[in-house]
Amino acid sequence: MSHAPGNAHYDLVVLGAGASGLMCAAVAGARGLRVLVLEKTRQAGRKILLSGGGRCNFTNRDVGPEHYLCRNPHFVKSALSRYTPWDFLALVERHGIPYHEREHGRLFCDRSARDIVRMLLAECADAGVEIRTRAPAVEVHAGPPHQVVTPAGMVTCDALAVATGGCSFPTTGTTGFGLDLARQLGLPVQPPRPGLVPLTLEGRALERIRDLSGIALKATVRVGDHAFTENLLFTHRGLSGPAVLQASSYWRPGEPVAIDLFPGMDLEALLDAQRRTHPRRMLQTLLARHLTRRVARCWCSHWVEDQPLGQMGQAAVRQVVSACQSWTVWPAGTEGYGAAEVTVGGVDTDAVSSKTLACHDHPGIHFIGETLDVTGQLGGYNFQWAWASGHAAGSLVGA
């Protein structure tokens, strides 16, 4: 990677050496453009390295617009249709990277996320892309030509791709720079907030479940019209796990979250049957078979009365069903950007072309990846948006 001083002109300068930035640079470089990537930290692809527990859930076999949050739900269709999961898989396979599939079509590296970073850097190297680390953009002045001021000097370019991410994972260097730049350019920005993030509880709501920290259960977590059935994890601060992370992207302060701890089951029918066949069995014993003993004990301490099943009347049955399948919590908030996997919100997609990702008012400036108001659900969708948006910009920049 080059650390040469600035004062040079490029066809394209990419701000940020993350997933979308490296993809954009490699594609543009392969077209013969002179490309420079500026990365403020000491290492390219730092967020990639942290993803998927270090294994990088790099895409999903089932990708469609329904897996994304965006004020304009149709915006993602163009880029996603032109660079699909199969296109990225072909790249992975060409580099000999072993991978495997997990539940819900999620694809992970067998070895390490480093394989994906090495692949992207190799693609950039083959395309003649110059990458400078420890090279933050201090100022950006829209052109043409566009001017980017760095500590080492100024560079100019015909096109600029902003791939600086959102506000999540601040330890990787994200600061919301791209959103600040968008505002500087007069572009509308949908208010950013943490997404795919644990929810926190306070007061009595937290005290009731404090002893359950570390227990995971399959559950359906619902926020408004959006419901997700995966594991729920009790934490010392509230609730986490895939089902909660998914729901968190749709949650707004002041809204309730409804939780079904017996997803896909007719709990009332189960209780009625057990009342007849095992009238002496205690309710807590039955709940423990599905919820673990600690959770069952907690529920019988705070929400329902433990008693022999044969002594339960219909009102008691309905109370159990409500407590277990319509458990409602009112989160106090989230664990914030430090624990969030993504940023919800960003540059309003009405301000950019869905084909080229370039600003309508500044045709040579492209916003890609997480800088845009496009947020994927958990499961490789955010990476696929990074690949697709980076490829769309890199394919058409300067055309």
Side-chain angles (χ1 to χ4, degrees):
M1 296 183 185
S2 171
H3 296 265
N7 304 317
H9 184 80
Y10 295 83
D11 296 313
L12 170 66
V13 170
V14 179
L15 305 183
S20 63
L22 291 175
M23 174 62 81
C24 178
V27 172
R31 293 173 50 220
L33 301 186
R34 188 179 184 207
V35 180
L36 169 67
V37 179
L38 297 174
E39 168 56 43
K40 68 178 294 185
T41 69
R42 61 180 177 80
Q43 185 180 28
R46 290 186 69 190
K47 190 171 180 181
I48 299 174
L49 295 175
L50 294 175
S51 65
R55 292 289 180 89
C56 188
N57 178 193
F58 55 81
T59 192
N60 193 294
R61 290 189 181 276
D62 177 27
V63 173
E66 67 274 13
H67 298 116
Y68 293 88
L69 290 78
C70 180
R71 198 172 68 87
N72 175 2
H74 302 290
F75 178 82
V76 299
K77 293 179 179 178
S78 176
L80 291 176
S81 66
R82 286 181 287 133
Y83 193 80
T84 70
W86 311 110
D87 294 314
F88 191 76
L89 266 183
L91 181 63
V92 167
E93 292 172 352
R94 191 163 72 244
H95 282 260
I97 298 174
Y99 63 90
H100 60 277
E101 182 175 347
R102 298 184 189 175
E103 71 284 351
H104 307 299
R106 299 166 181 172
L107 300 178
F108 289 79
C109 295
D110 282 356
R111 295 183 301 225
S112 165
R114 293 187 182 278
D115 285 345
I116 298 296
V117 175
R118 291 191 192 103
M119 176 190 76
L120 294 169
L121 293 178
E123 289 289 308
C124 285
D126 289 346
V129 173
E130 180 183 349
I131 300 177
R132 300 183 195 171
T133 54
R134 295 190 175 93
V138 180
E139 295 179 23
V140 174
H141 303 285
H146 311 297
Q147 299 175 336
V148 181
V149 179
T150 77
M154 184 178 72
V155 295
T156 60
C157 56
D158 296 323
L160 182 71
V162 184
T164 51
C167 305
S168 58
F169 272 122
T171 56
T172 64
T174 55
T175 62
F177 177 88
L179 306 187
D180 292 337
L181 176 58
R183 296 185 187 100
Q184 174 189 320
L185 295 172
L187 304 181
V189 174
Q190 292 298 314
R193 55 190 171 87
L196 298 182
V197 63
L199 298 174
T200 60
L201 301 176
E202 289 181 349
R204 187 183 182 200
L206 180 60
E207 189 62 34
R208 282 177 160 183
I209 65 166
R210 191 180 296 278
D211 293 339
L212 304 181
S213 180
I215 295 178
L217 299 169
K218 188 175 183 181
T220 296
V221 179
R222 180 181 296 277
V223 174
D225 295 331
H226 303 280
F228 301 92
T229 302
E230 294 193 63
N231 272 355
L232 171 150
L233 174 68
F234 294 96
T235 74
H236 68 285
R237 298 187 63 186
L239 301 171
S240 187
V244 171
L245 297 183
Q246 295 274 41
S248 72
S249 294
Y250 298 87
W251 178 78
R252 297 297 186 103
E255 292 181 344
V257 174
I259 300 170
D260 180 356
L261 298 175
F262 286 78
M265 295 181 63
D266 187 337
L267 181 55
E268 183 171 355
L270 173 65
L271 288 168
D272 286 341
Q274 291 284 309
R275 288 161 64 199
R276 294 191 301 271
T277 58
H278 298 87
R280 299 174 62 184
R281 178 173 290 162
M282 299 299 290
L283 172 63
Q284 183 173 314
T285 301
L286 174 62
L287 296 181
R289 291 186 173 185
H290 300 272
L291 303 180
T292 77
R293 282 185 293 179
R294 282 167 60 191
V295 175
R297 184 166 59 247
C298 175
W299 251 247
C300 288
S301 297
H302 298 296
W303 284 282
V304 296
E305 178 187 352
D306 186 25
Q307 57 183 304
L309 296 176
Q311 295 181 17
M312 292 179 64
Q314 208 56 43
V317 169
R318 286 195 294 269
Q319 182 183 0
V320 172
V321 172
S322 176
C324 293
Q325 294 201 288
S326 299
W327 177 41
T328 301
V329 297
W330 297 80
T334 75
E335 291 193 14
Y337 286 121
E341 295 190 22
V342 295
T343 301
V344 181
V347 178
D348 195 310
T349 55
D350 285 350
V352 303
S353 163
S354 63
K355 182 177 180 181
T356 67
L357 287 308
C359 304
H360 298 308
D361 294 340
H362 303 277
I365 300 181
H366 306 248
F367 283 85
I368 58 178
E370 203 176 340
T371 60
L372 289 165
D373 175 34
V374 175
T375 306
Q377 296 174 353
L378 189 71
Y381 300 109
N382 287 291
F383 270 126
Q384 186 57 37
W385 173 247
W387 315 136
S389 61
H391 190 277
S395 298
L396 295 171
V397 64

